[in-house]
Amino acid sequence: MTESFTPPPAAGCRDTPVLKERGQREVFCGLTGIIWLHRKMQDAFFLVVGSRTCAHLLQSAAGVMIFAEPRFGTAILEEGDLAGLADAQEELEREVERLLDRRPDIRQLFLVGSCPSEVIKLDLSRAAERLTQRHAPRVRVLNYSGSGIETTFTEGEDACLASMVPVLPETDRRQLMLVGALPDVVEDQALDLLEKLGVGPVTVLPAARASDQVAVGPNTVVALTQPFLGETLSALERRGARHLAAPFPFGEEGTTAWLRAVAQEFGVSEERLEEVTAAPRARARRAVAQAAETLNRRSLFFFPDSQLEIPLARFLTRECGMEAVEVGAPYINKQVVAPDLDLLAEGPVISEGQDVDLQLDRCRAARPDLTVCGLGLANPLEAEGLTTKWAIELVFTPVHFYEQAGDLAGLFSRPIRRHDLLKLEAAE
Amino acid sequence: MKLSVWTYEGPPHVGAMRVATGMTDLHYVLHAPQGDTYADLLFTMIERRDHRPPVTYTTFQARDLGSDTADLFKTACEDAYARFQPQAMIVGASCTAELIQDDPGGMAETMGMPIPIVPLELPSYQRKENFGCDETFFQLVKALARPVEKTEAITANLIGPTALGFRHRDDITEVTRHLEEMGVGVNVVGPMGATPEDLTRLGAAHFNVLMYPETAESAARWMERELGLPFTKTVPIGVGATRDFLEEVSGITGLPVRTDESRLRLPWYSASVDSTYLTGKRVFLFGDGTHVAAAARIARDEMGFEVVGLGCYNREQARNIRRVAKDYGVEATITDDYLEVEAAIEAAAPEMILGTQMERHIGKRLGIPCAVISAPVHVQDFPARYAPQMGFEGANVIFDTWVHPLVMGLEEHLLHMFREDFEFHDEAGPSHHAAHAPAPRPAEPAHEGGAAPRPAAPDSPRDISTQEEGPAAAGGIEIVWRPAAEKELKKIPFFVRGKAKRNTEAFARERGVAEIDVDTLYEAKAHYAR
């Protein structure tokens, strides 16, 4: 069944020395994850305890202001709060009381730490404990840090999910747990494939509502759907769960390998896997082929952003024929991405962390056909004649599993097609 | 601690970035953690800038705290100088770095850099973005501008325009043109487009044009005191204000007012009969103080609107806006709480909002058309075409912009005449931009995610729920609408229906009428007829 894929490379990137850099980072902090997490968890409110900068980031990162009153907000620290810490605790509790009065629909409240709250050592876990005691069982109050001094972009989701793990009920049930906040359409497709394979019961973290029972225990097997969930995985392992290592479900190959790992764990035959996946695999292959025509033999450079870079480089090189020059990730968790590194043929620079000026120098020297980068760099690089893809779209768009494989490839081919389409010079 | 949902202004260091990004050959070293770099995308995406903002972030992490954040700062300064070779640098801290008290300014001064280093003290937990602009430009001017010989010809500096400013790019062109027509040259424009070197020549001008008090008033006052440069007090937005501005320039320079009237269209467009339908349109204004004060004058004196409410989000302009509000007989709304602004607009029930991108959202929710007159900005506020707010062309642009969201004259009558028509129903919105028609007000407020009942404003002194149901219940009488009267009420155009309903109920209450029938409705109409 694997014949249709390129054979795994003789040497992958698992043991490639990683270029580690530190310097100016052109990435978001972990607060940004709130933008999608608050849509996913429909009865949760995210209260950032921070500064005006935090509020401004959330507003700007979203790109648009979401209509009506969102389920997130910032308790902005003021001069007075910084003077005495006892006051800040009281003030926070007062703001939470007010908020919960106003929003009786809220069942989970996340107190989200920020750079300023971490620096003044505001104890949000104590606040969360006290507030939980007061509002249980109606509202559960948890806390995590999305601060830039501790988390990079998608690590915010990791910290959020990890904060939920200690309070999950215990179960001995043999079950599969999918971990990662996926768009509903994608999650439904994944559950449907697993059901057809006869794998179950399946539970998903995070659930849409606090009342959806998610439990964990020694017979729980964890399949991550996002590569940035290392802390959550460790927390689940501490609760006795076991990690199922697999490439991430991007593209036909990644999705099939991910499903195969689950199938083998749950004793599903290779024949059954073939039967369930043959049709969607063929669809995915056809959809990817269109975009791959544009992407084939084009060079690719990843600036660090979401930790999706390594699995996506695997997809783009193996299924779309691209040639990776550099694959930069903000953080590389080898336990999680090793299966993808094995499939990524050696050659590209694998870099972790960032010194943006040095990385820009390398990018300019390589002049890749496509540069995947953040919004702060995209237009300046376009102005230098480089074609870019905004990395943030990769976490805001449904891109996992078979039916989105074509869309995923399309996200990368569109900027190149557009570049080829535009004719702005005089005809002669 | 104050709960905030949406903010009108960013933190003060974003103001400093607006100054640095507007200028050339200036670099900003910002002591800040990872994540604060989000601010770059404001410039590269919203304003579509083709260069990164000239900002180096030290990007300290939790593990650096207490050990070597100061070294990180020094290294960042040295690297930035070596790489970018700026003429001058500004250094400062973002909100988090302010807490760790590394004193970037002090450190930078001891580093012996071969260029001027200007330290910034921007209190992040007290002040906001506009203050950041104003203070940064002031510190730069104070550090760099020196008395120099005046230019032979009469010249002015244009001060205030920054990166990410609302139409600053085009306002510069328009004001320059007006000055040229009077025979006044431009010495320096800044911060936008100026180098630190240019700022040393500010004193060569004969006076300053203070384009935006929000971003350059402190610098203007300093230059008046130290360099003897008078500055203009009128912001030339609107026909009347532009004429006043030209008079002011004439007063300062002794040159007669000379201007090309042939390109000014607002007065005739406003006088032409098609504009009759604009008469008395009830408008609510909100934005930064300067733009709101200017827009109020245009609304009343040049468009013939009725100003039913106004306010600003920047407290620095509170006194000025309260004075303007008094002149217009309304209460000023001075707040940066988005929900409070929404409540004020809902209570005033205007036919149009002249606001910011934030009010555009409020307008959509309430089904009220909105035109944007002020920052905070959005990618739409950087049009490809020439679209100033200042001067004669600015007045033309404003006329078009404000009329665009409204239902046109005859169309309004048709809507009224054929209320039940399947195409001309009152929820269709203006026919010339169906896609942007204000959403009709739903019978039930839309619930976000289907779960949340619409909450009352958190810190708002007003209670929205009593506003919606209040008039009928208040005053001790329970007022009931008879079905026929209710049906008649629905025939009134939706944009004045709320007012008609309230007026009728107030009329009924005054007379102790508990049931409103069709006659009550029309008696009230006659009573309130102007």
Side-chain angles (χ1 to χ4, degrees), chain B residues 196-210:
Chain B
E197 176 82 42
D198 291 336
L199 297 188
T200 64
R201 297 189 292 106
L202 280 164
H206 295 242
F207 68 106
N208 278 325
V209 173
L210 175 57

Side-chain angles (χ1 to χ4, degrees), chain A residues 39-300:
Chain A
R39 303 309 305 169
K40 184 69 192 177
M41 295 187 238
Q42 292 172 9
D43 54 6
F45 193 99
F46 292 80
L47 181 62
V48 177
V49 183
S51 64
R52 181 165 300 282
T53 315
C54 307
H56 198 234
L57 157 88
L58 284 173
Q59 186 165 330
S60 314
V64 289
M65 273 193 10
I66 297 158
F67 234 24
E69 200 188 355
R71 285 192 314 278
F72 60 80
T74 308
I76 296 184
L77 294 163
E78 290 166 330
E79 202 66 11
D81 302 307
L82 303 173
L85 284 187
D87 288 345
Q89 286 278 356
E90 274 169 34
E91 292 258 310
L92 175 60
E93 286 175 29
R94 194 196 64 215
E95 286 300 331
V96 168
E97 295 296 335
R98 238 190 243 177
L99 175 71
L100 292 178
D101 276 353
R102 207 171 82 231
R103 306 290 306 251
D105 53 313
I106 297 303
R107 295 283 172 273
Q108 312 180 67
L109 173 67
F110 290 94
L111 302 179
V112 189
S114 65
C115 299
S117 79
E118 297 293 327
V119 167
I120 65 168
K121 300 197 172 9
L122 191 56
D123 189 349
L124 294 184
S125 66
R126 202 176 59 146
E129 243 169 65
R130 282 187 9 196
L131 288 162
T132 297
Q133 278 167 12
R134 202 171 312 160
H135 295 281
R138 187 170 76 87
V139 185
R140 187 172 64 190
V141 185
L142 296 172
N143 75 287
Y144 73 91
S145 171
S147 81
I149 56 178
E150 288 159 314
T151 60
T152 303
F153 194 25
T154 48
E155 283 180 301
E157 177 177 331
D158 193 20
C160 173
L161 301 190
S163 78
M164 301 172 80
V165 173
V167 297
L168 294 180
E170 178 82 15
T171 182
D172 279 337
R173 188 169 78 150
R174 163 87 170 149
Q175 63 173 2
L176 174 67
M177 180 188 278
L178 302 189
V179 183
L182 294 181
D184 295 340
V185 56
V186 174
E187 191 174 299
D188 292 346
Q189 284 171 22
L191 293 173
D192 184 54
L193 282 166
L194 292 167
E195 195 188 319
K196 285 181 178 149
L197 286 174
V199 172
V202 181
T203 184
V204 181
L205 182 74
R209 293 177 180 283
S211 54
D212 300 343
Q213 277 299 330
V214 182
V216 66
N219 292 314
T220 300
V221 176
V222 173
L224 300 181
T225 56
Q226 299 280 24
F228 45 74
L229 298 172
E231 286 300 315
T232 308
L233 178 61
S234 301
L236 288 165
E237 285 174 337
R238 284 197 291 277
R239 296 286 310 266
R242 190 159 48 81
H243 175 220
L244 206 53
F248 282 87
F250 299 112
E252 183 204 350
E253 183 185 31
T255 305
T256 306
W258 187 88
L259 285 171
R260 174 172 292 116
V262 173
Q264 285 171 352
E265 172 68 28
F266 282 82
V268 179
S269 69
E270 190 65 16
E271 293 70 38
R272 180 87 187 129
L273 181 66
E274 170 67 30
E275 203 180 298
V276 170
T277 60
R281 283 179 63 184
R283 278 199 298 275
R285 201 176 311 138
R286 275 202 309 277
V288 170
Q290 271 190 343
E293 267 177 42
T294 309
L295 297 174
N296 196 32
R297 305 200 69 79
R298 306 268 195 161
S299 57
L300 173 70

Side-chain angles (χ1 to χ4, degrees), chain A residues 290-301 316 320-323 367-372 382 385-390 393 408-423:
Chain A
Q290 271 190 343
E293 267 177 42
T294 309
L295 297 174
N296 196 32
R297 305 200 69 79
R298 306 268 195 161
S299 57
L300 173 70
F301 193 108
L316 291 167
C320 303
M322 296 191 84
E323 290 159 6
R367 293 207 67 81
D369 296 315
L370 186 67
T371 304
V372 186
E382 291 278 350
L386 293 171
T387 303
T388 61
K389 166 81 216 91
W390 313 347
E393 223 174 335
L408 177 59
L411 288 179
F412 295 95
S413 64
R414 194 171 305 122
I416 297 179
R417 281 201 299 127
R418 181 165 183 76
H419 185 260
D420 295 345
L421 261 173
L422 294 179
K423 293 184 176 51

Side-chain angles (χ1 to χ4, degrees), chain A residues 22-29 38-39 42 45 47 49-53 55-61 63-79 81-82 88-89 91-92 94-95 98-99 102-105 115-117 119-120 122 147-152 155 209 356-358 360-361 364 375-381 383 390, chain B residues 1-14 33-38 40-42 44-45 48-53 55-65 68 72 79 83-84 94-96 98-100 123-129 336 338-339 357-358 360-362 364-365 376 378 439 446 448-449 451-459:
Chain A
R22 76 158 302 180
Q24 178 173 329
R25 289 186 163 204
E26 198 70 26
V27 284
F28 288 127
C29 64
H38 93 283
R39 303 309 305 169
Q42 292 172 9
F45 193 99
L47 181 62
V49 183
S51 64
R52 181 165 300 282
T53 315
H56 198 234
L57 157 88
L58 284 173
Q59 186 165 330
S60 314
V64 289
M65 273 193 10
I66 297 158
F67 234 24
E69 200 188 355
R71 285 192 314 278
F72 60 80
T74 308
I76 296 184
L77 294 163
E78 290 166 330
E79 202 66 11
D81 302 307
L82 303 173
Q89 286 278 356
E91 292 258 310
L92 175 60
R94 194 196 64 215
E95 286 300 331
R98 238 190 243 177
L99 175 71
R102 207 171 82 231
R103 306 290 306 251
D105 53 313
C115 299
S117 79
V119 167
I120 65 168
L122 191 56
S147 81
I149 56 178
E150 288 159 314
T151 60
T152 303
E155 283 180 301
R209 293 177 180 283
V356 72
D357 288 314
L358 297 180
L360 281 167
D361 290 344
R364 288 179 183 122
L375 297 174
L377 298 177
N379 269 336
L381 288 175
W390 313 347
Chain B
M1 209 174 282
K2 186 165 176 356
L3 183 65
S4 158
V5 183
W6 303 116
T7 66
Y8 284 91
E9 288 182 76
H13 71 260
V14 167
Q34 142 177 286
D36 284 4
T37 49
Y38 82 88
D40 283 359
L41 77 86
L42 304 171
T44 59
M45 297 304 291
R48 300 178 206 257
R49 286 210 165 241
D50 60 2
H51 280 80
R52 291 168 61 210
V55 182
T56 295
Y57 304 78
T58 57
T59 317
F60 57 83
Q61 298 175 343
R63 60 168 191 241
D64 304 319
L65 293 178
D68 53 0
L72 267 180
D79 289 354
R83 178 173 283 269
F84 300 104
S94 78
C95 51
T96 307
E98 185 182 328
L99 296 172
I100 60 178
S124 305
Y125 299 91
Q126 296 169 22
R127 308 303 296 265
K128 288 176 266 185
E129 181 178 332
D336 64 349
Y338 169 77
L339 296 172
Q357 290 294 338
M358 315 271 270
R360 211 167 54 89
H361 286 272
I362 293 172
K364 266 196 200 167
R365 238 175 51 68
H378 180 270
E448 197 212 0
R454 210 183 97 67
D459 302 311

